[in-house]
Amino acid sequence: MKKVEAIIKPFKLDEVKDALHEVGIKGITVIEAKGFGRQKGHTELYRGAEYVVDFLPKVKVEVVLDDALVERTVEAIQQAAQTGRIGDGKIFVSTIDDAVRIRTGDRGPDAV
């Protein structure tokens, strides 16, 4: 099993969700996040004073899935989230040793 985590722009969430549904992903976790990379934030003007916004709004999407779906999932997220501009985000893939469905006690891929 693998865990795919994607940090994306908030307005791309619906497109990413639809793309994951087409791949066959049945469940996702979405977390509101703030951060920056090369984008380095931006400067805003408020009541005549400039201030730096270091942390930009992002969305973190997490999916735990079978190894066979990883490549299609990563491609789907990349295509749906891409705008071609700086700050489009990142995708991380990591290994999951085990999973347990709390309600039934199912373990491993059956729990996902």
Side-chain angles (χ1 to χ4, degrees):
M1 292 180 301
K2 299 285 188 201
K3 178 176 171 180
V4 176
E5 298 173 272
I7 311 296
I8 62 171
K9 293 182 175 185
F11 68 89
K12 286 296 201 171
L13 178 58
D14 285 337
E15 291 176 51
V16 168
K17 181 184 65 123
D18 292 343
L20 290 174
H21 182 71
E22 287 179 23
V23 170
I25 301 301
K26 293 181 175 54
I28 66 173
T29 300
V30 177
I31 302 164
E32 290 184 18
K34 291 185 181 221
F36 69 90
R38 291 186 185 159
Q39 203 172 3
K40 302 269 196 291
H42 62 277
T43 303
E44 287 190 5
L45 192 62
Y46 179 72
R47 294 190 177 183
E50 277 192 8
Y51 67 99
V52 177
V53 178
D54 289 334
F55 297 102
L56 301 170
K58 300 289 182 182
V59 173
K60 182 177 182 181
V61 178
E62 296 181 348
V63 182
V64 177
L65 43 87
D66 190 71
D67 291 0
L69 290 173
V70 171
E71 205 51 47
R72 288 177 45 212
T73 300
V74 169
E75 288 173 9
I77 294 170
Q78 185 175 9
Q79 289 175 4
Q82 186 175 37
T83 67
R85 291 189 295 268
I86 194 166
D88 276 352
K90 298 260 188 327
I91 301 171
F92 305 100
V93 179
S94 53
T95 301
I96 298 295
D97 294 329
D98 200 6
V100 179
R101 184 184 312 269
I102 294 172
R103 179 178 55 85
T104 62
D106 292 344
R107 295 188 80 104
D110 292 336
V112 181

